Amino acid sequence: MATLAHAGLPAPAAELVAELYRADERGLLAPRGDRVARGRTPLRDTVAALAGTTAVA
């Protein structure tokens, strides 16, 4: 969550995004229907783009 907040996401939004990632890691999220989309962009790059900053390695 600290990375998300550091990228400029407000703390409540950062916590929600972190919660979604934790749910995915635990296998609680599953696609519906016959469409599965997988992205290749690292989370830090996505958050940085949304926050209008540059990703820090």
Side-chain angles (χ1 to χ4, degrees):
M1 188 176 110
T3 301
L4 297 170
H6 180 72
L9 227 54
E15 181 56 40
L16 289 173
V17 171
E19 184 178 340
L20 281 171
Y21 273 85
R22 286 190 299 269
D24 186 46
E25 289 172 351
R26 293 191 338 237
L28 300 176
L29 303 179
R32 291 186 180 181
D34 62 351
R35 180 173 176 248
V36 176
R38 300 241 184 244
R40 295 183 184 162
T41 305
L43 174 62
R44 70 173 178 266
D45 294 346
T46 301
V47 172
L50 291 171
T53 63
T54 303
V56 179

